C-alpha cells in the first residue's frame, strides 16, 4: 500500500467501504469516490475529507486520482460493470480490487476477530469493538453499522495487535480474511442469487473456517448445519444463550432491563447488564464476550462495555418513546431476523398493538424466502408492506411484495408506497411501530415520528 498515495472508491457510500475510507484517511492518504445518491453517511464522509461525486462521469474524477501508478481503485460488487468511472479505470491501467480483497490485505498482519453469519454479525462485531475499546487494548475495527457510542463504523488504534471485522458472506467476501478468532453466529440460507443453493452457502462457511490461523479459535453457535473444516491447532468452542462452552445463566428481565451471568470454560462472569436490553442481545453478547475473552479482555471490562453499549444504528434503534407511542427501527431483512425482532418487541411491550412496516430487500431474496417472510410477518398485529427495494437487481417477473402479502395471516395487512404511507399516517393509530428492512425505509422515520408526535397533541 505504500506506493499508493490516493484511493478511489466506486460505491463510496456503502457501509463497508466507509470503514476503509476512514482507515486510509487516518493513514494520510487522499480518498475520493463515487456513489449513486447522497446520504447521511456520504455527508459524514465528505465532512471528514472524502471527495464524493454522484455522477459516474469520468471527467469528475479528481486530478490526484488520475495516475495509475499512485492510485488504487476499490469497488464493491453492488456496482454494475457498466459504470462509466469503473470502465475508465479498468481500461487505463489502474489496479482495481474488490473491497473484500483490500480489507483482507489491511487486516492480514493483525489478530483478526472476525464475526460471520447470516444475521447477528453487525451487532456482535460492534459489541466486540466496544469491549476492546473499553478494555484499553483497542482495535482497528471495520464494521457494518455506525456505532452510536462513537458515531462511526471504524475504530482505529495504532498500537493494538487486534482488528475486529464484520465478515460478510455476500459474494464470498469473507474468504479474503485470515481470522485469529472466527465467530459463526448462524448459517440460515441467504444470498441464493450468489450461491445457487443452500449446500453451496454452507460450503462457503466451511471454507471460511479453513482460513483460521493454526494458532486460532473458532466459536460457533450450537445446532448449526455447518461442518467446520479447521486446520490442525485451531481450538473450537460452542456458544448459545442456554448451552455450549459459553452460555448465559440466571437471566433476569425486570422493568426494561436484562441481566445475566456468563459461563465460560474458565470462570463465570456475574452480573452482566445489557445496554440494549432485548432478548436476542443476550446471545449476541455471549458471542462477542467469548471472542474478546480469548483476546485477553477482563471480566470487568466486558461488564462495563455491555452496560454502556448503545448499539449500531438501525439495529433495534428507538426513534420515539413518548406519551405511550413507540417507534423502533431495525435492519432485519431475513425471515429469522424479522421473527427475532418482532418477538423482542412483544417481549418489551406485552399486550400492546405491534404495527410492522416492512420493505423487502432484493427481488431474488423475496422470491427465495417468500414463505419465511410471510410466516415471520404474521407475528405482527398489523402489517404495512412497502414495494421491494431493488438495490443491485433488476425486476423479476411475478415477484412483488404482493406474493408475501398473499401468504401473511395477521389480522390487518396492506401494501403502501412510501408516499401513500406518509400521507396516510394521520389515519393510522400506531401504538408500537417497528420499521424493518435493509433498504431506504429509514429515510421515512423523521417525518413519521413528527407526524405521530402531532397526533398526540
Amino acid at each position: 500500500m505504500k506506493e499508493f498515495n490516493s484511493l478511489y472508491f466506486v460505491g463510496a457510500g456503502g457501509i463497508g467501504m466507509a470503514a476503509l475510507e476512514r482507515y486510509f484517511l487516518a493513514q494520510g492518504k487522499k480518498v475520493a469516490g463515487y456513489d449513486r445518491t447522497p446520504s447521511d453517511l456520504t455527508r459524514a464522509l465528505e465532512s471528514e475529507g472524502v471527495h464524493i461525486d454522484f455522477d459516474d462521469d469520468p471527467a469528475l474524477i479528481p486530478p490526484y486520482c488520475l495516475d495509475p501508478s499512485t492510485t488504487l481503485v476499490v469497488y464493491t460488487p453492488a456496482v454494475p460493470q457498466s459504470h462509466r468511472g469503473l470502465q475508465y479505470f479498468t481500461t487505463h491501467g489502474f489496479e482495481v480490487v474488490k473491497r473484500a480483497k483490500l480489507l483482507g490485505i489491511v487486516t492480514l498482519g493483525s489478530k483478526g476477530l472476525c464475526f460471520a453469519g447470516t444475521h447477528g454479525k453487525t451487532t456482535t462485531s460492534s459489541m466486540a469493538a466496544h469491549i476492546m475499546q473499553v478494555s484499553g487494548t483497542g482495535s482497528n475495527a471495520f464494521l457494518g453499522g455506525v456505532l452510536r457510542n462513537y458515531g462511526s463504523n471504524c475504530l482505529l488504534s495504532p498500537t493494538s495487535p487486534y482488528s475486529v471485522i464484520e465478515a460478510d458472506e455476500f459474494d464470498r467476501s469473507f474468504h479474503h480474511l485470515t481470522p485469529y478468532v472466527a465467530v459463526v453466529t448462524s448459517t440460515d440460507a441467504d444470498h441464493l442469487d450468489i450461491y445457487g443453493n443452500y449446500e453451496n452457502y454452507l460450503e462457503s462457511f466451511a471454507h471460511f473456517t479453513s482460513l483460521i490461523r493454526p494458532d486460532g479459535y473458532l466459536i460457533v453457535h450450537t445446532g448449526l448445519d455447518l461442518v467446520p473444516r479447521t486446520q490442525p491447532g485451531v481450538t473450537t468452542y460452542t456458544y448459545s444463550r442456554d448451552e455450549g462452552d459459553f452460555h448465559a445463566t440466571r437471566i433476569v428481565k425486570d422493568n426494561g432491563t436484562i441481566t445475566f451471568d456468563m459461563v465460560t470454560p474458565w470462570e463465570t462472569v456475574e452480573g452482566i447488564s445489557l445496554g440494549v436490553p432485548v432478548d436476542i442481545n443476550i446471545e449476541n453478547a455471549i458471542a462477542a464476550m467469548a471472542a474478546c475473552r480469548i483476546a485477553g479482555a477482563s471480566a470487568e471490562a466486558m461488564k462495563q462495555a455491555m452496560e454502556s453499549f448503545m448499539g449500531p444504528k438501525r439495529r433495534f434503534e428507538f426513534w420515539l418513546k413518548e406519551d405511550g407511542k413507540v417507534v423502533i427501527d431495525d435492519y432485519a431483512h431475513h425471515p429469522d431476523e424479522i421473527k427475532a425482532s418482532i418477538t423482542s418487541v412483544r417481549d418489551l411491550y406485552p399486550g400492546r398493538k405491534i404495527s410492522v412496516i416492512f420493505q423487502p430487500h432484493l427481488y431474488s431474496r423475496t422470491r427465495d424466502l417468500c414463505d419465511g417472510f410471510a410466516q415471520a410477518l404474521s407475528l405482527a398485529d398489523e402489517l404495512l408492506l412497502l414495494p421491494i427495494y431493488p438495490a443491485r437487481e433488476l425486476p423479476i417477473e411475478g415477484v412483488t411484495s404482493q406474493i408475501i402479502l398473499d401468504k401473511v395471516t395477521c389480522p390487518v395487512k396492506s401494501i403502501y408506497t412510501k408516499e401513500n404511507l406518509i400521507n396516510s399516517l394521520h389515519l393510522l393509530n400506531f401504538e408500537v411501530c417497528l420499521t424493518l428492512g435493509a433498504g431506504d425505509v429509514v429515510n421515512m422515520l423523521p417525518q413519521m415520528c413528527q407526524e405521530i408526535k402531532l397526533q398526540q397533541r
Side-chain angles (χ1 to χ4, degrees), residues 351-378:
R352 303 286 297 279
K353 183 180 81 170
I354 310 296
S355 300
V356 171
I357 299 172
F358 176 56
Q359 181 188 45
H361 185 262
L362 299 180
Y363 295 101
S364 59
R365 182 182 281 124
T366 303
R367 176 198 62 201
D368 296 337
L369 305 178
C370 177
D371 290 348
F373 281 126
Q375 185 179 25
L377 292 166
S378 294

PDB file of all heavy atoms in Angstrom, residues 351-378:
ATOM      1  N   GLY A 351     -48.971  -7.049  25.388  1.00  0.00           N
ATOM      2  CA  GLY A 351     -50.330  -6.515  25.389  1.00  0.00           C
ATOM      3  C   GLY A 351     -50.541  -5.299  24.513  1.00  0.00           C
ATOM      4  O   GLY A 351     -51.685  -4.850  24.358  1.00  0.00           O
ATOM      5  N   ARG A 352     -49.459  -4.748  23.910  1.00  0.00           N
ATOM      6  CA  ARG A 352     -49.592  -3.588  23.041  1.00  0.00           C
ATOM      7  C   ARG A 352     -49.768  -4.024  21.591  1.00  0.00           C
ATOM      8  O   ARG A 352     -49.318  -5.093  21.178  1.00  0.00           O
ATOM      9  CB  ARG A 352     -48.350  -2.690  23.149  1.00  0.00           C
ATOM     10  CG  ARG A 352     -48.037  -2.211  24.566  1.00  0.00           C
ATOM     11  CD  ARG A 352     -48.986  -1.130  25.035  1.00  0.00           C
ATOM     12  NE  ARG A 352     -48.888   0.060  24.229  1.00  0.00           N
ATOM     13  CZ  ARG A 352     -47.946   1.006  24.357  1.00  0.00           C
ATOM     14  NH1 ARG A 352     -46.999   0.868  25.277  1.00  0.00           N
ATOM     15  NH2 ARG A 352     -47.944   2.068  23.586  1.00  0.00           N
ATOM     16  N   LYS A 353     -50.423  -3.168  20.790  1.00  0.00           N
ATOM     17  CA  LYS A 353     -50.577  -3.460  19.366  1.00  0.00           C
ATOM     18  C   LYS A 353     -49.251  -3.208  18.657  1.00  0.00           C
ATOM     19  O   LYS A 353     -48.675  -2.134  18.753  1.00  0.00           O
ATOM     20  CB  LYS A 353     -51.662  -2.579  18.742  1.00  0.00           C
ATOM     21  CG  LYS A 353     -51.924  -2.899  17.265  1.00  0.00           C
ATOM     22  CD  LYS A 353     -52.995  -2.014  16.656  1.00  0.00           C
ATOM     23  CE  LYS A 353     -52.432  -0.666  16.265  1.00  0.00           C
ATOM     24  NZ  LYS A 353     -53.368   0.141  15.461  1.00  0.00           N
ATOM     25  N   ILE A 354     -48.755  -4.213  17.924  1.00  0.00           N
ATOM     26  CA  ILE A 354     -47.486  -4.124  17.205  1.00  0.00           C
ATOM     27  C   ILE A 354     -47.777  -3.921  15.717  1.00  0.00           C
ATOM     28  O   ILE A 354     -48.328  -4.800  15.051  1.00  0.00           O
ATOM     29  CB  ILE A 354     -46.628  -5.390  17.387  1.00  0.00           C
ATOM     30  CG1 ILE A 354     -46.501  -5.760  18.864  1.00  0.00           C
ATOM     31  CG2 ILE A 354     -45.271  -5.204  16.723  1.00  0.00           C
ATOM     32  CD1 ILE A 354     -45.784  -4.743  19.712  1.00  0.00           C
ATOM     33  N   SER A 355     -47.423  -2.747  15.203  1.00  0.00           N
ATOM     34  CA  SER A 355     -47.560  -2.456  13.777  1.00  0.00           C
ATOM     35  C   SER A 355     -46.187  -2.556  13.136  1.00  0.00           C
ATOM     36  O   SER A 355     -45.228  -1.938  13.607  1.00  0.00           O
ATOM     37  CB  SER A 355     -48.127  -1.055  13.558  1.00  0.00           C
ATOM     38  OG  SER A 355     -49.395  -0.919  14.158  1.00  0.00           O
ATOM     39  N   VAL A 356     -46.085  -3.323  12.052  1.00  0.00           N
ATOM     40  CA  VAL A 356     -44.806  -3.532  11.373  1.00  0.00           C
ATOM     41  C   VAL A 356     -44.866  -2.922   9.976  1.00  0.00           C
ATOM     42  O   VAL A 356     -45.803  -3.194   9.209  1.00  0.00           O
ATOM     43  CB  VAL A 356     -44.463  -5.034  11.277  1.00  0.00           C
ATOM     44  CG1 VAL A 356     -43.248  -5.248  10.385  1.00  0.00           C
ATOM     45  CG2 VAL A 356     -44.201  -5.605  12.666  1.00  0.00           C
ATOM     46  N   ILE A 357     -43.883  -2.089   9.666  1.00  0.00           N
ATOM     47  CA  ILE A 357     -43.685  -1.585   8.312  1.00  0.00           C
ATOM     48  C   ILE A 357     -42.461  -2.297   7.752  1.00  0.00           C
ATOM     49  O   ILE A 357     -41.358  -2.151   8.284  1.00  0.00           O
ATOM     50  CB  ILE A 357     -43.465  -0.059   8.303  1.00  0.00           C
ATOM     51  CG1 ILE A 357     -44.681   0.660   8.886  1.00  0.00           C
ATOM     52  CG2 ILE A 357     -43.190   0.440   6.882  1.00  0.00           C
ATOM     53  CD1 ILE A 357     -44.470   2.152   9.084  1.00  0.00           C
ATOM     54  N   PHE A 358     -42.638  -3.090   6.701  1.00  0.00           N
ATOM     55  CA  PHE A 358     -41.536  -3.887   6.158  1.00  0.00           C
ATOM     56  C   PHE A 358     -41.304  -3.552   4.691  1.00  0.00           C
ATOM     57  O   PHE A 358     -42.233  -3.518   3.892  1.00  0.00           O
ATOM     58  CB  PHE A 358     -41.820  -5.382   6.300  1.00  0.00           C
ATOM     59  CG  PHE A 358     -40.765  -6.261   5.662  1.00  0.00           C
ATOM     60  CD1 PHE A 358     -39.436  -6.137   6.023  1.00  0.00           C
ATOM     61  CD2 PHE A 358     -41.111  -7.214   4.712  1.00  0.00           C
ATOM     62  CE1 PHE A 358     -38.449  -6.944   5.436  1.00  0.00           C
ATOM     63  CE2 PHE A 358     -40.143  -8.025   4.129  1.00  0.00           C
ATOM     64  CZ  PHE A 358     -38.815  -7.884   4.492  1.00  0.00           C
ATOM     65  N   GLN A 359     -40.032  -3.306   4.374  1.00  0.00           N
ATOM     66  CA  GLN A 359     -39.607  -3.078   2.992  1.00  0.00           C
ATOM     67  C   GLN A 359     -38.731  -4.256   2.565  1.00  0.00           C
ATOM     68  O   GLN A 359     -37.581  -4.362   2.996  1.00  0.00           O
ATOM     69  CB  GLN A 359     -38.829  -1.763   2.894  1.00  0.00           C
ATOM     70  CG  GLN A 359     -38.353  -1.425   1.485  1.00  0.00           C
ATOM     71  CD  GLN A 359     -37.433  -0.210   1.490  1.00  0.00           C
ATOM     72  OE1 GLN A 359     -36.538  -0.098   2.316  1.00  0.00           O
ATOM     73  NE2 GLN A 359     -37.666   0.712   0.567  1.00  0.00           N
ATOM     74  N   PRO A 360     -39.253  -5.157   1.729  1.00  0.00           N
ATOM     75  CA  PRO A 360     -38.415  -6.282   1.274  1.00  0.00           C
ATOM     76  C   PRO A 360     -37.174  -5.769   0.542  1.00  0.00           C
ATOM     77  O   PRO A 360     -37.210  -4.728  -0.123  1.00  0.00           O
ATOM     78  CB  PRO A 360     -39.341  -7.058   0.326  1.00  0.00           C
ATOM     79  CG  PRO A 360     -40.728  -6.626   0.692  1.00  0.00           C
ATOM     80  CD  PRO A 360     -40.611  -5.209   1.151  1.00  0.00           C
ATOM     81  N   HIS A 361     -36.081  -6.507   0.650  1.00  0.00           N
ATOM     82  CA  HIS A 361     -34.802  -6.125   0.049  1.00  0.00           C
ATOM     83  C   HIS A 361     -34.382  -7.198  -0.950  1.00  0.00           C
ATOM     84  O   HIS A 361     -34.145  -8.340  -0.566  1.00  0.00           O
ATOM     85  CB  HIS A 361     -33.746  -5.975   1.154  1.00  0.00           C
ATOM     86  CG  HIS A 361     -32.418  -5.474   0.670  1.00  0.00           C
ATOM     87  ND1 HIS A 361     -31.363  -6.313   0.404  1.00  0.00           N
ATOM     88  CD2 HIS A 361     -31.984  -4.218   0.385  1.00  0.00           C
ATOM     89  CE1 HIS A 361     -30.321  -5.598   0.006  1.00  0.00           C
ATOM     90  NE2 HIS A 361     -30.670  -4.328  -0.015  1.00  0.00           N
ATOM     91  N   LEU A 362     -34.348  -6.856  -2.198  1.00  0.00           N
ATOM     92  CA  LEU A 362     -33.975  -7.697  -3.333  1.00  0.00           C
ATOM     93  C   LEU A 362     -35.150  -8.555  -3.826  1.00  0.00           C
ATOM     94  O   LEU A 362     -35.876  -9.157  -3.034  1.00  0.00           O
ATOM     95  CB  LEU A 362     -32.795  -8.625  -3.008  1.00  0.00           C
ATOM     96  CG  LEU A 362     -31.468  -7.963  -2.630  1.00  0.00           C
ATOM     97  CD1 LEU A 362     -30.429  -9.045  -2.347  1.00  0.00           C
ATOM     98  CD2 LEU A 362     -30.978  -7.030  -3.709  1.00  0.00           C
ATOM     99  N   TYR A 363     -35.283  -8.591  -5.151  1.00  0.00           N
ATOM    100  CA  TYR A 363     -36.298  -9.450  -5.773  1.00  0.00           C
ATOM    101  C   TYR A 363     -35.974 -10.917  -5.527  1.00  0.00           C
ATOM    102  O   TYR A 363     -36.863 -11.725  -5.225  1.00  0.00           O
ATOM    103  CB  TYR A 363     -36.361  -9.176  -7.280  1.00  0.00           C
ATOM    104  CG  TYR A 363     -36.837  -7.789  -7.628  1.00  0.00           C
ATOM    105  CD1 TYR A 363     -35.940  -6.789  -7.982  1.00  0.00           C
ATOM    106  CD2 TYR A 363     -38.198  -7.473  -7.576  1.00  0.00           C
ATOM    107  CE1 TYR A 363     -36.370  -5.511  -8.298  1.00  0.00           C
ATOM    108  CE2 TYR A 363     -38.635  -6.191  -7.880  1.00  0.00           C
ATOM    109  CZ  TYR A 363     -37.719  -5.212  -8.240  1.00  0.00           C
ATOM    110  OH  TYR A 363     -38.161  -3.948  -8.545  1.00  0.00           O
ATOM    111  N   SER A 364     -34.688 -11.275  -5.668  1.00  0.00           N
ATOM    112  CA  SER A 364     -34.320 -12.692  -5.527  1.00  0.00           C
ATOM    113  C   SER A 364     -34.561 -13.179  -4.107  1.00  0.00           C
ATOM    114  O   SER A 364     -35.047 -14.299  -3.908  1.00  0.00           O
ATOM    115  CB  SER A 364     -32.854 -12.892  -5.920  1.00  0.00           C
ATOM    116  OG  SER A 364     -31.994 -12.110  -5.111  1.00  0.00           O
ATOM    117  N   ARG A 365     -34.243 -12.360  -3.099  1.00  0.00           N
ATOM    118  CA  ARG A 365     -34.460 -12.784  -1.715  1.00  0.00           C
ATOM    119  C   ARG A 365     -35.972 -12.913  -1.442  1.00  0.00           C
ATOM    120  O   ARG A 365     -36.394 -13.843  -0.747  1.00  0.00           O
ATOM    121  CB  ARG A 365     -33.821 -11.791  -0.744  1.00  0.00           C
ATOM    122  CG  ARG A 365     -33.972 -12.222   0.711  1.00  0.00           C
ATOM    123  CD  ARG A 365     -33.381 -11.211   1.672  1.00  0.00           C
ATOM    124  NE  ARG A 365     -31.920 -11.310   1.759  1.00  0.00           N
ATOM    125  CZ  ARG A 365     -31.094 -10.309   1.539  1.00  0.00           C
ATOM    126  NH1 ARG A 365     -31.564  -9.124   1.183  1.00  0.00           N
ATOM    127  NH2 ARG A 365     -29.792 -10.475   1.656  1.00  0.00           N
ATOM    128  N   THR A 366     -36.756 -11.999  -1.985  1.00  0.00           N
ATOM    129  CA  THR A 366     -38.211 -12.078  -1.810  1.00  0.00           C
ATOM    130  C   THR A 366     -38.757 -13.359  -2.413  1.00  0.00           C
ATOM    131  O   THR A 366     -39.583 -14.051  -1.810  1.00  0.00           O
ATOM    132  CB  THR A 366     -38.887 -10.856  -2.457  1.00  0.00           C
ATOM    133  OG1 THR A 366     -38.354  -9.657  -1.874  1.00  0.00           O
ATOM    134  CG2 THR A 366     -40.391 -10.889  -2.260  1.00  0.00           C
ATOM    135  N   ARG A 367     -38.279 -13.700  -3.607  1.00  0.00           N
ATOM    136  CA  ARG A 367     -38.714 -14.936  -4.276  1.00  0.00           C
ATOM    137  C   ARG A 367     -38.289 -16.176  -3.492  1.00  0.00           C
ATOM    138  O   ARG A 367     -39.099 -17.079  -3.241  1.00  0.00           O
ATOM    139  CB  ARG A 367     -38.112 -14.974  -5.682  1.00  0.00           C
ATOM    140  CG  ARG A 367     -38.386 -16.251  -6.470  1.00  0.00           C
ATOM    141  CD  ARG A 367     -37.411 -16.370  -7.623  1.00  0.00           C
ATOM    142  NE  ARG A 367     -36.026 -16.465  -7.159  1.00  0.00           N
ATOM    143  CZ  ARG A 367     -34.954 -16.183  -7.910  1.00  0.00           C
ATOM    144  NH1 ARG A 367     -35.096 -15.781  -9.155  1.00  0.00           N
ATOM    145  NH2 ARG A 367     -33.733 -16.310  -7.395  1.00  0.00           N
ATOM    146  N   ASP A 368     -37.027 -16.212  -3.083  1.00  0.00           N
ATOM    147  CA  ASP A 368     -36.479 -17.430  -2.470  1.00  0.00           C
ATOM    148  C   ASP A 368     -37.007 -17.661  -1.053  1.00  0.00           C
ATOM    149  O   ASP A 368     -37.118 -18.816  -0.616  1.00  0.00           O
ATOM    150  CB  ASP A 368     -34.951 -17.351  -2.427  1.00  0.00           C
ATOM    151  CG  ASP A 368     -34.334 -17.322  -3.820  1.00  0.00           C
ATOM    152  OD1 ASP A 368     -34.990 -17.787  -4.768  1.00  0.00           O
ATOM    153  OD2 ASP A 368     -33.201 -16.817  -3.951  1.00  0.00           O
ATOM    154  N   LEU A 369     -37.326 -16.573  -0.319  1.00  0.00           N
ATOM    155  CA  LEU A 369     -37.680 -16.693   1.099  1.00  0.00           C
ATOM    156  C   LEU A 369     -39.097 -16.207   1.383  1.00  0.00           C
ATOM    157  O   LEU A 369     -39.426 -15.884   2.528  1.00  0.00           O
ATOM    158  CB  LEU A 369     -36.678 -15.910   1.957  1.00  0.00           C
ATOM    159  CG  LEU A 369     -35.199 -16.276   1.775  1.00  0.00           C
ATOM    160  CD1 LEU A 369     -34.311 -15.391   2.643  1.00  0.00           C
ATOM    161  CD2 LEU A 369     -34.951 -17.738   2.101  1.00  0.00           C
ATOM    162  N   CYS A 370     -39.933 -16.194   0.362  1.00  0.00           N
ATOM    163  CA  CYS A 370     -41.288 -15.654   0.492  1.00  0.00           C
ATOM    164  C   CYS A 370     -42.078 -16.296   1.635  1.00  0.00           C
ATOM    165  O   CYS A 370     -42.690 -15.597   2.456  1.00  0.00           O
ATOM    166  CB  CYS A 370     -42.031 -15.829  -0.831  1.00  0.00           C
ATOM    167  SG  CYS A 370     -43.757 -15.290  -0.778  1.00  0.00           S
ATOM    168  N   ASP A 371     -42.064 -17.620   1.714  1.00  0.00           N
ATOM    169  CA  ASP A 371     -42.835 -18.302   2.758  1.00  0.00           C
ATOM    170  C   ASP A 371     -42.329 -17.932   4.150  1.00  0.00           C
ATOM    171  O   ASP A 371     -43.117 -17.728   5.080  1.00  0.00           O
ATOM    172  CB  ASP A 371     -42.763 -19.820   2.563  1.00  0.00           C
ATOM    173  CG  ASP A 371     -43.541 -20.291   1.343  1.00  0.00           C
ATOM    174  OD1 ASP A 371     -44.316 -19.487   0.781  1.00  0.00           O
ATOM    175  OD2 ASP A 371     -43.356 -21.455   0.937  1.00  0.00           O
ATOM    176  N   GLY A 372     -41.016 -17.845   4.299  1.00  0.00           N
ATOM    177  CA  GLY A 372     -40.450 -17.472   5.584  1.00  0.00           C
ATOM    178  C   GLY A 372     -40.806 -16.048   5.982  1.00  0.00           C
ATOM    179  O   GLY A 372     -41.122 -15.774   7.153  1.00  0.00           O
ATOM    180  N   PHE A 373     -40.771 -15.128   5.003  1.00  0.00           N
ATOM    181  CA  PHE A 373     -41.172 -13.749   5.290  1.00  0.00           C
ATOM    182  C   PHE A 373     -42.620 -13.701   5.770  1.00  0.00           C
ATOM    183  O   PHE A 373     -42.951 -13.029   6.751  1.00  0.00           O
ATOM    184  CB  PHE A 373     -41.023 -12.879   4.040  1.00  0.00           C
ATOM    185  CG  PHE A 373     -39.619 -12.445   3.764  1.00  0.00           C
ATOM    186  CD1 PHE A 373     -39.037 -12.679   2.528  1.00  0.00           C
ATOM    187  CD2 PHE A 373     -38.860 -11.795   4.726  1.00  0.00           C
ATOM    188  CE1 PHE A 373     -37.743 -12.271   2.255  1.00  0.00           C
ATOM    189  CE2 PHE A 373     -37.563 -11.390   4.468  1.00  0.00           C
ATOM    190  CZ  PHE A 373     -37.001 -11.634   3.223  1.00  0.00           C
ATOM    191  N   ALA A 374     -43.500 -14.401   5.059  1.00  0.00           N
ATOM    192  CA  ALA A 374     -44.926 -14.378   5.409  1.00  0.00           C
ATOM    193  C   ALA A 374     -45.157 -14.928   6.809  1.00  0.00           C
ATOM    194  O   ALA A 374     -45.930 -14.364   7.595  1.00  0.00           O
ATOM    195  CB  ALA A 374     -45.723 -15.178   4.375  1.00  0.00           C
ATOM    196  N   GLN A 375     -44.483 -16.015   7.129  1.00  0.00           N
ATOM    197  CA  GLN A 375     -44.644 -16.623   8.456  1.00  0.00           C
ATOM    198  C   GLN A 375     -44.165 -15.675   9.548  1.00  0.00           C
ATOM    199  O   GLN A 375     -44.830 -15.503  10.579  1.00  0.00           O
ATOM    200  CB  GLN A 375     -43.880 -17.941   8.510  1.00  0.00           C
ATOM    201  CG  GLN A 375     -44.071 -18.713   9.801  1.00  0.00           C
ATOM    202  CD  GLN A 375     -43.312 -20.034   9.798  1.00  0.00           C
ATOM    203  OE1 GLN A 375     -42.314 -20.193   9.097  1.00  0.00           O
ATOM    204  NE2 GLN A 375     -43.780 -20.992  10.581  1.00  0.00           N
ATOM    205  N   ALA A 376     -42.998 -15.041   9.347  1.00  0.00           N
ATOM    206  CA  ALA A 376     -42.458 -14.140  10.364  1.00  0.00           C
ATOM    207  C   ALA A 376     -43.324 -12.888  10.517  1.00  0.00           C
ATOM    208  O   ALA A 376     -43.620 -12.458  11.639  1.00  0.00           O
ATOM    209  CB  ALA A 376     -41.028 -13.748  10.001  1.00  0.00           C
ATOM    210  N   LEU A 377     -43.742 -12.309   9.418  1.00  0.00           N
ATOM    211  CA  LEU A 377     -44.529 -11.073   9.458  1.00  0.00           C
ATOM    212  C   LEU A 377     -45.929 -11.300  10.017  1.00  0.00           C
ATOM    213  O   LEU A 377     -46.569 -10.360  10.500  1.00  0.00           O
ATOM    214  CB  LEU A 377     -44.605 -10.458   8.067  1.00  0.00           C
ATOM    215  CG  LEU A 377     -43.270  -9.913   7.531  1.00  0.00           C
ATOM    216  CD1 LEU A 377     -43.357  -9.647   6.031  1.00  0.00           C
ATOM    217  CD2 LEU A 377     -42.858  -8.651   8.275  1.00  0.00           C
ATOM    218  N   SER A 378     -46.396 -12.535   9.959  1.00  0.00           N
ATOM    219  CA  SER A 378     -47.707 -12.852  10.525  1.00  0.00           C
ATOM    220  C   SER A 378     -47.726 -12.717  12.043  1.00  0.00           C
ATOM    221  O   SER A 378     -48.806 -12.721  12.655  1.00  0.00           O
ATOM    222  CB  SER A 378     -48.126 -14.274  10.122  1.00  0.00           C
ATOM    223  OG  SER A 378     -48.338 -14.357   8.718  1.00  0.00           O
TER     224      SER A 378
END
